[in-house]
Amino acid sequence: MPEVTVTEHLLLHQKLSPHATGMFTGLLYDLILSGKSIAMRINKAGLLDVLGGTGMVNVQGENVQKLDDIANHILLYRMERCGALCAMSSEEEPDLIRVRPEFPQGDYILIFDPLDGSSNIDVNVNVGTIFSIFHRPEGGSGEVRLEEVLQQGCRQVAAGYMLYGPSTMLVLSTGQGVHGFTLDPGVGEFLLSHPNMQIPEQGYIYSVNEGNRQNWSDASREAVDWFHTTRAANGKHYSSRYVGSLVADFHRTLIYGGIYMYPPDADKPQGKLRLMCEANPLAFLAEQAGGKASDGYGRILERQPDKLHARTPLFIGSRRDVEAVEAIYARYPR
Ligand code: P6P
């Protein structure tokens, strides 16, 4: 396969929206540079003093790992200087971050989870950076207001993730399909390796933390039990796979099909996953790849966030597998 870089792919193969100009490719350049920097630290984590926790607890109530903090600060530093943003939101930061006036301003808004799945770092399991990109609403000027950031996921102009695993990958959509790029460490470039990624219409893998079963509602139990008793796309029974890193579980689902589920439970009635920095970007990718993403009752991309760190239940993957869950939930009142 000829070596197609991300920039070439965007400029030659993606009819970027008219107002994109070079600002978007500039945004992506600095996002990719941040990912390479994070990947370099993760690949040597065992040799640097970057494993384990910081002893801090973040706005999510989660223990902050050292690499969470490193990844977060790499992205905040780099992206504030990229010249394409007016504001950012990080899973690790309680409040909206407005680009300071001493830095070049742009019209894009970046929302990210700097290092998803970081509880797995100490055991060398895949982790990733998830990002969501919006345009500031038309006519917005002066200090960015929170209302301008709290947009439905269907208004994203781009979304994707960087997956730090056996190879480092960038999976990206700008609204014209989903395309995967693999980092060639020899040249330091992400090169097109997975053009036009498509989720199979039905899969043979379901992915959920069944340890939460005792806290699920009847609807959630029935939805998960469906995958215990229904014949999968391969004519056999469904297999269960759960990495515990959303990016890794989603990436497998994107390629092999099937479904990833994080139902609400008694402890987390709105679900655990964050709408804006986890569910929305992956839902954008899932739909662009021919799949679906639901909260059990409707499209993730139509949920209206009421706050930066809003949570949501998530059922995402093959269209027929997600629809099977929605048909079960439809029989239970909200
Ligand atoms: P549990 C990681 O903290 C994360 O946000 C996702 O990456 C992952 O899918 C999920 O939480 C795992 O949660 O409750 O199964 O450990």
Side-chain angles (χ1 to χ4, degrees), residues 97-136:
I97 297 148
R98 297 172 178 86
V99 174
R100 285 170 288 181
E102 59 263 39
F103 297 113
Q105 303 287 315
D107 294 331
Y108 288 101
I109 296 167
L110 174 68
I111 299 168
F112 60 89
D113 180 353
L115 206 58
D116 173 75
S118 55
S119 56
N120 281 317
I121 282 178
D122 289 2
V123 292
N124 203 19
V125 168
N126 291 17
V127 291
T129 298
I130 310 174
F131 58 89
S132 168
I133 301 170
F134 289 94
H135 212 269
R136 185 176 189 177

Side-chain angles (χ1 to χ4, degrees), residues 62 91 113 115-120 130 208-209 212 242-247 249 260 262 268 272-274 278:
E62 295 168 342
E91 187 200 63
D113 180 353
L115 206 58
D116 173 75
S118 55
S119 56
N120 281 317
I130 310 174
V208 67
N209 182 346
N212 294 328
Y242 194 71
V243 177
S245 282
L246 174 59
V247 185
D249 282 316
Y260 170 90
Y262 207 107
K268 301 179 281 292
K272 173 181 183 181
L273 301 178
R274 276 60 55 159
E278 292 174 322

